[in-house]
Amino acid sequence: MAYRDLREFVRKLEKEGELKRVQAEVDPVLEITEVTQRVARDAGSAANSVGPALLFEKPKGSRVPLLVNAFGSVRRMELAFEVARLDDVAERIKGFLAMESPQGLFDKLKMLPKLAELGSFFPKSVKNGDCKEVVRKGVDVNLFDFPILKCWPQDGGRFITFPLVFTRNPETGKRNVGMYRMQVYDERTTGMHWQTQKHGAEHFRRARAANPEGRIAVSVAIGADPATALAGMLPIPPDLDEMMFAGFLRREPVEMVTCETNDLEVPANAEIVLEGYVNLNEMRVEGPFGDHTGFYSLEGDYPVFHVECVTHKKDPIYLTTVVGPPPQEDYFMGYAVERVFLPVMKMQYPEIVDVAMPAEGIFHNLMIVAIRKSYPGHARKIMSAIWSLGQAMFTKVIVVVDHDVDVHNYKEVAWKTLCALDPERDVQFVFGPADTLDHASRIQDYGSKMGLDATRKWASEGFTRPWPDEILMDKDTKARVDALWKALNL
Ligand SMILES: Cc1cc2nc3c(=O)[nH]c(=O)nc-3n(C[C@H](O)[C@H](O)[C@H](O)COP(=O)(O)O)c2cc1C
Ligand SMILES: [Mn+2]
């Protein structure tokens, strides 16, 4: 059974010893970040041994409790998706990808249950939802009712960090949901941090091209059942509905309810919903914001979201996250994405054996890819493939290694990569889109990338010297020493 809503997930986390309640009053301005840093980060960076989720019951200045670090470990991501291992989600995706076009009647019959299952993930419209237990409109709207964090000292203000931003493609009418931070300017206005390559930004651009003086409806849900809450950050293709994907993840359709003041739909189980619009001719300075790079992202001009109506549960929980020096909570979200989408990558590029995005590479700065190399130039072909694959386009450095390198063992990767390189020969530079948060690129959103071909070089690639074997002890000697081992008394 899928989680009904966020609070059911909170109860689950508590039962599993994955959540602590904080009863003392703590200020959402900086203090909650500092507490979260001490709990979540001092527990060490080992993937499975980080601190618990925190439910702040008395954020200073608000009556709404605040949940942070809810997804800050591999275990909690597994609980969120209700699987024993993240690979189980990948296996399910693989099952669907393996559905080849049916050849005959028998094949068609075999596919029916899967197709029915697929159909059952589509979002379902419902008449009413808990998210509307309280409705406030116009001057009764006050974002400061909620314990919105100011995360870091130089932040430009308070930021909503875990929103689901709903818009419709003005041309196709298709829904998009993205997680884009929102800087609170006043009681009823926020920024809308649509980075230029993201789907929300595309909706904005298309609407503006059609009618520069118009506006676009936007609704924002904060806090929902875990699969739905996480769906906003999934790097899936444009016009593929994130709510459908959430339904797939939770194995139950997401129930959607129409907003009070615009025609967008939002998850009925949302804790809090902000309804409003973005003017297509209005931009405002957004930032700085202490970002997941571990540095402040600089000020920039972004669209402005006007909130006309707030709806929420009677006793809502405010879901948020803190980004900052890696690893933070978002590392575990990214790690789950890496695991879950690996089969999709492999389907398109079967030569890919495994990929890793180390926390220190903050997703887009470093991807290590192991391939089964089959032909000359294969490593460079994979680099090009990754640079053209959805949001992997942002990858600043790609390291391609042979299939026998464990990409998750960074020591092995560093050692074997450095040994395999003839730098002038094996480094590939290209230009292309850069992540908006990359502060080193000469121009925002555009910069260079580097690929390292750290595979064994072949004669067919112009390498005529012999390539040495890796040093490994032979089996027989190992067996003899195993037999001797006790007697050696070491
Ligand atoms: C905690 C967190 C905060 C994020 N903030 C932003 C943001 O402010 N702007 C942005 O464009 N993307 C942000 N992202 C990344 C997007 O959510 C992600 O790229 C997503 O796939 C965008 O959805 P879209 O592909 O439908 O545009 C954030 C991701 C996380 C996990
Ligand atoms: Mn999207």
Side-chain angles (χ1 to χ4, degrees):
M1 278 288 280
Y3 296 104
R4 241 184 77 77
D5 53 15
L6 184 65
R7 63 201 53 203
E8 201 174 302
F9 184 56
V10 165
R11 282 195 288 271
K12 175 74 175 176
L13 291 179
E14 199 158 25
K15 211 175 111 206
E16 297 284 325
E18 289 282 339
L19 178 136
K20 278 199 174 141
R21 287 171 187 270
V22 181
Q23 263 125 20
E25 185 178 86
V26 185
D27 199 331
V29 174
L30 303 178
E31 286 180 7
I32 287 184
T33 298
E34 178 61 14
V35 173
T36 307
Q37 297 303 296
R38 291 190 193 191
V39 169
R41 302 191 80 235
D42 288 358
S45 61
N48 280 305
S49 62
V50 287
L54 295 173
L55 186 67
F56 289 87
E57 294 186 337
K58 271 196 236 141
K60 191 171 173 187
S62 174
R63 283 206 292 250
V64 176
L66 173 148
L67 177 64
V68 70
N69 209 30
F71 304 102
S73 74
V74 174
R75 173 89 184 110
R76 292 205 286 284
M77 287 303 301
E78 290 163 348
L79 289 170
F81 294 148
E82 297 174 272
V83 290
R85 298 163 330 131
L86 289 172
D87 288 343
D88 297 347
V89 187
E91 286 299 323
R92 278 185 67 219
I93 292 189
K94 230 158 76 184
F96 280 104
L97 294 178
M99 278 200 299
E100 286 167 28
S101 41
Q103 301 293 331
L105 185 64
F106 185 65
D107 273 5
K108 278 187 189 137
L109 287 175
K110 259 196 337 202
M111 268 173 71
L112 280 179
K114 281 242 147 116
L115 287 177
E117 199 191 347
L118 204 61
S120 72
F121 304 143
F122 285 104
K124 195 166 108 193
S125 296
V126 295
K127 284 243 150 56
N128 211 339
D130 299 350
C131 67
K132 295 201 189 190
E133 283 174 347
V134 176
V135 177
R136 284 179 212 285
K137 291 183 182 162
V139 290
D140 290 334
V141 171
N142 186 354
L143 294 174
F144 297 110
D145 288 344
F146 305 106
I148 298 169
L149 297 183
K150 177 179 178 180
C151 297
W152 298 102
Q154 291 176 35
D155 282 3
R158 296 182 178 218
F159 284 81
I160 299 170
T161 58
F162 213 137
L164 294 173
V165 178
F166 289 77
T167 51
R168 270 190 215 287
N169 182 325
E171 288 163 18
T172 64
K174 290 210 169 142
R175 164 166 51 222
N176 188 67
V177 188
M179 194 187 291
Y180 317 109
R181 72 172 188 237
M182 295 157 59
Q183 176 174 358
V184 178
Y185 295 128
D186 59 43
E187 290 81 352
R188 286 180 286 280
T189 325
T190 79
M192 187 49 78
H193 195 247
W194 279 325
Q195 293 168 15
T196 192
Q197 309 93 344
K198 306 297 173 75
H199 301 151
E202 185 63 21
H203 290 187
F204 175 82
R205 274 191 297 268
R206 290 191 188 189
R208 192 179 54 188
N211 178 14
E213 301 306 316
R215 49 168 74 169
I216 184 173
V218 178
S219 287
V220 175
I222 305 169
D225 68 276
T228 304
L230 288 165
M233 56 114 195
L234 298 176
I236 59 178
D239 289 352
L240 184 68
D241 184 6
E242 281 87 355
M243 291 299 99
M244 203 269 276
F245 210 94
F248 167 81
L249 289 171
R250 66 200 294 267
R251 303 182 195 86
E252 240 176 69
V254 182
E255 295 193 343
M256 306 291 294
V257 63
T258 305
C259 286
E260 292 288 301
T261 57
N262 63 33
D263 66 352
L264 293 165
E265 284 185 318
V266 288
N269 69 8
E271 298 292 317
I272 301 163
V273 176
L274 314 177
E275 306 177 5
Y277 62 90
V278 162
N279 288 323
L280 300 170
N281 61 1
E282 183 185 13
M283 302 288 265
R284 184 164 167 176
V285 174
E286 199 266 6
F289 177 69
D291 227 311
H292 78 144
T293 56
F295 294 87
Y296 286 95
S297 51
L298 306 172
E299 291 182 346
D301 281 337
Y302 283 88
V304 181
F305 176 50
H306 297 273
V307 189
E308 294 182 299
C309 174
V310 172
T311 78
H312 59 79
K313 293 194 180 188
K314 249 183 246 128
D315 47 354
I317 299 172
Y318 177 75
L319 175 67
T320 194
T321 185
V322 174
V323 295
Q328 301 276 348
E329 182 177 1
D330 65 334
Y331 166 70
F332 298 96
M333 302 181 201
Y335 176 74
V337 166
E338 174 197 296
R339 293 293 95 196
V340 167
F341 286 101
L342 182 59
V344 184
M345 274 178 100
K346 279 188 177 179
M347 163 142 124
Q348 208 158 358
Y349 304 105
E351 62 267 54
I352 293 181
V353 175
D354 204 355
V355 301
M357 294 184 283
E360 293 72 17
I362 53 166
F363 314 128
H364 51 263
N365 280 351
L366 177 61
M367 187 186 290
I368 305 160
V369 191
I371 63 163
R372 195 169 291 278
K373 179 167 161 176
S374 300
Y375 42 78
H378 204 157
R380 290 180 201 240
K381 177 254 194 172
I382 278 298
M383 295 171 195
S384 301
I386 289 165
W387 283 322
S388 72
L389 196 69
Q391 292 183 38
M393 68 173 146
F394 300 128
T395 312
K396 183 144 79 170
V397 177
I398 299 175
V399 179
V400 185
V401 294
D402 282 310
H403 64 274
D404 55 355
V405 177
D406 175 5
V407 294
H408 303 286
N409 180 345
Y410 306 143
K411 288 187 180 175
E412 183 184 347
V413 171
W415 158 48
K416 289 187 175 167
T417 296
L418 294 167
C419 282
L421 279 189
D422 176 346
E424 196 205 25
R425 179 194 61 200
D426 294 332
V427 176
Q428 176 79 53
F429 292 107
V430 297
F431 277 93
D435 190 276
T436 304
L437 305 183
D438 188 320
H439 52 258
S441 56
R442 282 151 278 188
I443 304 172
Q444 183 180 302
D445 300 320
Y446 179 70
S448 70
K449 297 127 194 289
M450 177 173 79
L452 305 186
D453 175 359
T455 59
R456 285 178 195 84
K457 301 306 170 318
W458 293 358
S460 50
E461 294 174 312
F463 185 78
T464 50
R465 300 174 64 203
W467 194 277
D469 286 335
E470 180 182 342
I471 301 171
L472 293 168
M473 185 48 73
D474 65 277
K475 272 204 189 97
D476 290 351
T477 309
K478 283 197 170 195
R480 285 201 307 280
V481 172
D482 281 347
L484 269 175
W485 193 247
K486 267 220 164 121
L488 294 180
N489 210 13
L490 290 169

